[in-house]
Short mmCIF file of all heavy atoms in Angstrom, two decimals:
data_model
loop_
_atom_site.label_atom_id
_atom_site.label_comp_id
_atom_site.label_asym_id
_atom_site.label_seq_id
_atom_site.Cartn_x
_atom_site.Cartn_y
_atom_site.Cartn_z
N PRO O 1 0.78 -1.18 0.02
CA PRO O 1 -0.02 0.00 -0.02
C PRO O 1 0.82 1.31 0.03
O PRO O 1 0.33 2.31 -0.45
CB PRO O 1 -0.78 -0.14 1.30
CG PRO O 1 -0.89 -1.57 1.56
CD PRO O 1 0.43 -2.15 1.09
N ALA O 2 2.08 1.22 0.48
CA ALA O 2 2.86 2.36 0.61
C ALA O 2 3.96 2.53 -0.62
O ALA O 2 4.34 3.59 -0.93
CB ALA O 2 3.69 2.43 1.92
N CYS O 3 4.35 1.40 -1.11
CA CYS O 3 5.48 1.46 -2.14
C CYS O 3 5.48 0.10 -2.77
O CYS O 3 4.83 -0.84 -2.46
CB CYS O 3 6.75 1.83 -1.53
SG CYS O 3 7.44 0.56 -0.38
N THR O 4 6.38 -0.03 -3.81
CA THR O 4 6.60 -1.32 -4.51
C THR O 4 8.06 -1.58 -4.29
O THR O 4 8.94 -0.87 -4.55
CB THR O 4 6.36 -1.20 -6.03
OG1 THR O 4 4.95 -0.87 -6.23
CG2 THR O 4 6.68 -2.48 -6.73
N LEU O 5 8.29 -2.88 -3.82
CA LEU O 5 9.60 -3.45 -3.53
C LEU O 5 10.08 -4.29 -4.74
O LEU O 5 9.36 -5.09 -5.24
CB LEU O 5 9.64 -4.30 -2.29
CG LEU O 5 10.05 -3.57 -0.92
CD1 LEU O 5 8.89 -2.60 -0.63
CD2 LEU O 5 10.18 -4.62 0.15
N LEU O 6 11.46 -4.02 -5.09
CA LEU O 6 11.95 -4.91 -6.18
C LEU O 6 13.11 -5.71 -5.54
O LEU O 6 13.95 -5.18 -4.79
CB LEU O 6 12.60 -3.96 -7.22
CG LEU O 6 11.61 -3.00 -7.84
CD1 LEU O 6 12.39 -2.10 -8.82
CD2 LEU O 6 10.42 -3.70 -8.49
N ALA O 7 13.14 -6.97 -5.84
CA ALA O 7 14.10 -7.91 -5.15
C ALA O 7 15.11 -8.48 -6.05
O ALA O 7 16.07 -9.11 -5.63
CB ALA O 7 13.35 -9.01 -4.44
N LEU O 8 15.04 -8.23 -7.38
CA LEU O 8 15.94 -8.67 -8.35
C LEU O 8 16.94 -7.57 -8.92
O LEU O 8 16.39 -6.51 -9.18
CB LEU O 8 15.23 -9.43 -9.51
CG LEU O 8 14.43 -10.68 -9.20
CD1 LEU O 8 13.83 -11.27 -10.37
CD2 LEU O 8 15.41 -11.72 -8.48
N TYR O 9 18.11 -7.95 -9.11
CA TYR O 9 19.07 -6.92 -9.55
C TYR O 9 18.73 -6.30 -10.91
O TYR O 9 18.75 -5.08 -11.04
CB TYR O 9 20.46 -7.65 -9.74
CG TYR O 9 21.52 -6.73 -10.36
CD1 TYR O 9 22.23 -5.90 -9.60
CD2 TYR O 9 21.82 -6.84 -11.72
CE1 TYR O 9 23.32 -5.08 -10.08
CE2 TYR O 9 22.80 -6.01 -12.23
CZ TYR O 9 23.49 -5.21 -11.48
OH TYR O 9 24.47 -4.35 -12.06
N ASP O 10 18.26 -7.13 -11.88
CA ASP O 10 17.91 -6.58 -13.15
C ASP O 10 16.78 -5.54 -13.09
O ASP O 10 16.66 -4.45 -13.76
CB ASP O 10 17.50 -7.67 -14.19
CG ASP O 10 18.77 -8.48 -14.58
OD1 ASP O 10 19.87 -7.97 -14.36
OD2 ASP O 10 18.54 -9.59 -15.09
N ASP O 11 15.72 -5.82 -12.24
CA ASP O 11 14.64 -4.95 -12.08
C ASP O 11 15.14 -3.56 -11.44
O ASP O 11 14.70 -2.52 -11.77
CB ASP O 11 13.61 -5.56 -11.20
CG ASP O 11 12.86 -6.69 -11.93
OD1 ASP O 11 12.87 -6.64 -13.16
OD2 ASP O 11 12.34 -7.53 -11.24
N VAL O 12 16.01 -3.77 -10.42
CA VAL O 12 16.52 -2.55 -9.73
C VAL O 12 17.23 -1.66 -10.70
O VAL O 12 17.07 -0.39 -10.78
CB VAL O 12 17.31 -2.93 -8.49
CG1 VAL O 12 18.00 -1.69 -7.88
CG2 VAL O 12 16.41 -3.62 -7.42
N THR O 13 18.13 -2.20 -11.40
CA THR O 13 19.01 -1.37 -12.41
C THR O 13 18.14 -0.81 -13.45
O THR O 13 18.40 0.35 -13.91
CB THR O 13 20.17 -2.21 -13.03
OG1 THR O 13 19.56 -3.40 -13.62
CG2 THR O 13 21.15 -2.65 -11.94
N GLU O 14 17.11 -1.43 -13.86
CA GLU O 14 16.19 -0.97 -14.89
C GLU O 14 15.50 0.32 -14.37
O GLU O 14 15.34 1.33 -15.04
CB GLU O 14 15.17 -1.94 -15.39
CG GLU O 14 14.23 -1.53 -16.38
CD GLU O 14 13.21 -2.49 -16.94
OE1 GLU O 14 13.23 -3.64 -16.41
OE2 GLU O 14 12.44 -2.19 -17.85
N VAL O 15 15.00 0.24 -13.12
CA VAL O 15 14.35 1.40 -12.52
C VAL O 15 15.28 2.50 -12.36
O VAL O 15 14.97 3.68 -12.60
CB VAL O 15 13.71 0.89 -11.14
CG1 VAL O 15 13.41 2.13 -10.30
CG2 VAL O 15 12.53 0.13 -11.38
N LEU O 16 16.53 2.27 -11.85
CA LEU O 16 17.47 3.37 -11.67
C LEU O 16 17.85 4.07 -12.90
O LEU O 16 18.24 5.22 -12.86
CB LEU O 16 18.70 2.77 -10.94
CG LEU O 16 18.54 2.27 -9.47
CD1 LEU O 16 19.83 1.69 -9.03
CD2 LEU O 16 18.11 3.43 -8.58
N ASP O 17 17.67 3.40 -14.05
CA ASP O 17 17.98 4.04 -15.35
C ASP O 17 16.82 4.89 -15.88
O ASP O 17 16.92 5.34 -17.05
CB ASP O 17 18.34 2.94 -16.34
CG ASP O 17 19.80 2.41 -16.21
OD1 ASP O 17 20.56 3.14 -15.69
OD2 ASP O 17 20.11 1.24 -16.55
N MET O 18 15.71 4.95 -15.10
CA MET O 18 14.60 5.70 -15.60
C MET O 18 14.11 6.66 -14.51
O MET O 18 13.07 6.58 -14.01
CB MET O 18 13.43 4.79 -15.95
CG MET O 18 13.80 3.92 -17.18
SD MET O 18 12.26 2.93 -17.72
CE MET O 18 12.18 1.68 -16.44
N PRO O 19 14.98 7.70 -14.25
CA PRO O 19 14.66 8.61 -13.13
C PRO O 19 13.55 9.49 -13.37
O PRO O 19 12.90 10.07 -12.46
CB PRO O 19 16.00 9.42 -12.99
CG PRO O 19 16.61 9.41 -14.40
CD PRO O 19 16.30 7.96 -14.91
N LYS O 20 13.09 9.65 -14.67
CA LYS O 20 11.90 10.50 -14.91
C LYS O 20 10.61 9.71 -14.69
O LYS O 20 9.57 10.33 -14.53
CB LYS O 20 11.99 11.02 -16.37
CG LYS O 20 13.17 11.92 -16.73
CD LYS O 20 13.01 13.14 -15.92
CE LYS O 20 14.21 14.13 -16.32
NZ LYS O 20 14.23 15.36 -15.46
N VAL O 21 10.73 8.33 -14.67
CA VAL O 21 9.45 7.57 -14.46
C VAL O 21 9.48 7.18 -12.99
O VAL O 21 8.38 7.34 -12.29
CB VAL O 21 9.58 6.26 -15.37
CG1 VAL O 21 8.31 5.38 -15.01
CG2 VAL O 21 9.57 6.68 -16.87
N PHE O 22 10.57 6.67 -12.49
CA PHE O 22 10.70 6.24 -11.09
C PHE O 22 11.53 7.29 -10.38
O PHE O 22 12.70 7.28 -10.36
CB PHE O 22 11.31 4.87 -10.96
CG PHE O 22 10.56 3.82 -11.71
CD1 PHE O 22 10.97 3.47 -13.00
CD2 PHE O 22 9.47 3.17 -11.13
CE1 PHE O 22 10.24 2.41 -13.61
CE2 PHE O 22 8.82 2.18 -11.78
CZ PHE O 22 9.18 1.85 -13.03
N THR O 23 10.80 8.24 -9.76
CA THR O 23 11.50 9.47 -9.23
C THR O 23 11.88 9.26 -7.82
O THR O 23 11.64 8.31 -7.12
CB THR O 23 10.54 10.69 -9.30
OG1 THR O 23 9.45 10.51 -8.40
CG2 THR O 23 9.91 10.74 -10.71
N VAL O 24 12.52 10.38 -7.26
CA VAL O 24 12.93 10.41 -5.91
C VAL O 24 11.96 11.27 -5.01
O VAL O 24 12.33 11.74 -3.92
CB VAL O 24 14.34 10.92 -5.70
CG1 VAL O 24 15.40 9.99 -6.36
CG2 VAL O 24 14.48 12.33 -6.40
N GLU O 25 10.78 11.43 -5.52
CA GLU O 25 9.83 12.28 -4.86
C GLU O 25 9.62 11.90 -3.46
O GLU O 25 9.33 12.83 -2.55
CB GLU O 25 8.48 12.34 -5.67
CG GLU O 25 7.41 13.29 -5.04
CD GLU O 25 6.19 13.23 -5.81
OE1 GLU O 25 6.13 12.57 -6.94
OE2 GLU O 25 5.15 13.94 -5.39
N LEU O 26 9.69 10.64 -3.12
CA LEU O 26 9.39 10.24 -1.74
C LEU O 26 10.32 10.77 -0.77
O LEU O 26 10.00 10.96 0.48
CB LEU O 26 9.65 8.65 -1.70
CG LEU O 26 9.26 7.90 -0.44
CD1 LEU O 26 7.83 7.96 -0.10
CD2 LEU O 26 9.67 6.42 -0.52
N TYR O 27 11.55 11.20 -1.18
CA TYR O 27 12.60 11.72 -0.30
C TYR O 27 12.62 13.26 -0.17
O TYR O 27 13.32 13.87 0.58
CB TYR O 27 13.94 11.27 -0.73
CG TYR O 27 14.14 9.78 -0.56
CD1 TYR O 27 13.85 8.95 -1.65
CD2 TYR O 27 14.49 9.18 0.63
CE1 TYR O 27 13.92 7.55 -1.44
CE2 TYR O 27 14.63 7.81 0.81
CZ TYR O 27 14.29 7.00 -0.30
OH TYR O 27 14.41 5.64 -0.20
N VAL O 28 11.81 13.95 -1.08
CA VAL O 28 11.90 15.43 -1.12
C VAL O 28 11.48 16.07 0.21
O VAL O 28 12.10 16.99 0.65
CB VAL O 28 10.98 15.90 -2.32
CG1 VAL O 28 10.84 17.46 -2.23
CG2 VAL O 28 11.51 15.45 -3.58
N ALA O 29 10.49 15.48 0.82
CA ALA O 29 9.92 16.12 1.99
C ALA O 29 11.05 16.16 3.11
O ALA O 29 11.15 17.03 3.91
CB ALA O 29 8.79 15.37 2.52
N LYS O 30 11.90 15.10 3.15
CA LYS O 30 12.92 15.06 4.16
C LYS O 30 14.26 15.75 3.77
O LYS O 30 14.94 16.50 4.53
CB LYS O 30 13.28 13.55 4.42
CG LYS O 30 14.32 13.41 5.54
CD LYS O 30 13.97 13.84 6.86
CE LYS O 30 15.04 13.54 7.81
NZ LYS O 30 14.65 13.95 9.23
N GLN O 31 14.71 15.61 2.45
CA GLN O 31 15.93 16.07 1.98
C GLN O 31 15.90 17.48 1.33
O GLN O 31 17.01 17.97 1.10
CB GLN O 31 16.60 15.01 1.12
CG GLN O 31 16.79 13.66 1.78
CD GLN O 31 17.74 12.76 1.08
OE1 GLN O 31 18.39 13.18 0.12
NE2 GLN O 31 17.83 11.53 1.52
N GLY O 32 14.77 17.99 1.10
CA GLY O 32 14.60 19.33 0.58
C GLY O 32 15.36 19.52 -0.71
O GLY O 32 15.09 18.87 -1.64
N ASN O 33 16.32 20.48 -0.80
CA ASN O 33 17.01 20.88 -2.04
C ASN O 33 18.31 20.13 -2.24
O ASN O 33 19.08 20.43 -3.08
CB ASN O 33 17.25 22.36 -2.01
CG ASN O 33 17.34 22.89 -3.51
OD1 ASN O 33 16.59 22.42 -4.35
ND2 ASN O 33 18.20 23.83 -3.65
N TYR O 34 18.61 19.07 -1.38
CA TYR O 34 19.78 18.33 -1.46
C TYR O 34 19.76 17.53 -2.83
O TYR O 34 18.75 17.10 -3.31
CB TYR O 34 19.85 17.35 -0.28
CG TYR O 34 21.04 16.43 -0.20
CD1 TYR O 34 22.29 16.96 -0.37
CD2 TYR O 34 20.96 15.06 -0.09
CE1 TYR O 34 23.44 16.17 -0.29
CE2 TYR O 34 21.95 14.24 -0.01
CZ TYR O 34 23.23 14.78 -0.10
OH TYR O 34 24.39 13.92 -0.09
N LEU O 35 20.94 17.36 -3.41
CA LEU O 35 21.02 16.78 -4.72
C LEU O 35 20.37 15.41 -4.91
O LEU O 35 19.84 15.06 -5.90
CB LEU O 35 22.51 16.71 -5.17
CG LEU O 35 23.39 15.67 -4.57
CD1 LEU O 35 23.41 14.36 -5.40
CD2 LEU O 35 24.85 16.19 -4.39
N MET O 36 20.41 14.62 -3.81
CA MET O 36 19.73 13.34 -3.83
C MET O 36 18.18 13.39 -3.86
O MET O 36 17.52 12.45 -4.05
CB MET O 36 20.28 12.41 -2.75
CG MET O 36 21.68 12.08 -2.88
SD MET O 36 22.29 10.90 -1.66
CE MET O 36 21.46 9.34 -2.20
N ALA O 37 17.68 14.59 -3.64
CA ALA O 37 16.21 14.76 -3.68
C ALA O 37 15.88 15.29 -5.08
O ALA O 37 14.70 15.71 -5.28
CB ALA O 37 15.76 15.70 -2.52
N HIS O 38 16.82 15.42 -5.94
CA HIS O 38 16.52 15.74 -7.35
C HIS O 38 16.80 14.60 -8.28
O HIS O 38 17.69 13.75 -8.06
CB HIS O 38 17.43 16.94 -7.74
CG HIS O 38 17.03 18.27 -7.12
ND1 HIS O 38 16.43 19.28 -7.93
CD2 HIS O 38 17.02 18.69 -5.82
CE1 HIS O 38 16.17 20.27 -7.09
NE2 HIS O 38 16.47 19.96 -5.86
N ASP O 39 16.05 14.56 -9.38
CA ASP O 39 16.26 13.59 -10.40
C ASP O 39 17.30 14.10 -11.42
O ASP O 39 18.10 14.99 -11.05
CB ASP O 39 14.97 13.17 -11.03
CG ASP O 39 14.09 12.41 -10.11
OD1 ASP O 39 14.59 11.32 -9.66
OD2 ASP O 39 12.92 12.81 -9.86
N ASP O 40 17.19 13.69 -12.62
CA ASP O 40 18.24 14.06 -13.61
C ASP O 40 18.03 15.48 -14.08
O ASP O 40 17.45 15.72 -15.19
CB ASP O 40 18.04 13.09 -14.83
CG ASP O 40 19.19 13.18 -15.82
OD1 ASP O 40 20.15 13.83 -15.52
OD2 ASP O 40 18.98 12.67 -16.99
N ASP O 41 18.47 16.38 -13.20
CA ASP O 41 18.24 17.83 -13.67
C ASP O 41 19.63 18.52 -13.50
O ASP O 41 20.64 17.99 -13.05
CB ASP O 41 17.20 18.55 -12.85
CG ASP O 41 17.42 18.48 -11.37
OD1 ASP O 41 18.53 18.10 -10.88
OD2 ASP O 41 16.49 18.82 -10.56
#
């Protein structure tokens, strides 16, 4: 209900290669303007 977990390496790397689809929005509230709270910008 809160998120989707990936347990296989290939799935994880595929997601990490698509930052515009699978974003870091979940961390924005905590990390603010820190670079890890930004996607490919």
Side-chain angles (χ1 to χ4, degrees):
C3 65
T4 298
L5 267 67
L6 306 178
L8 294 179
Y9 174 83
D10 288 343
D11 291 333
V12 172
T13 55
E14 182 178 1
V15 164
L16 292 176
D17 282 336
M18 294 188 285
K20 297 298 185 184
V21 178
F22 301 97
T23 73
V24 293
E25 184 179 354
L26 186 65
Y27 296 91
V28 171
K30 178 69 178 181
Q31 299 194 11
N33 206 38
Y34 180 53
L35 73 93
M36 293 186 69
H38 284 253
D39 288 303
D40 188 17
D41 61 11

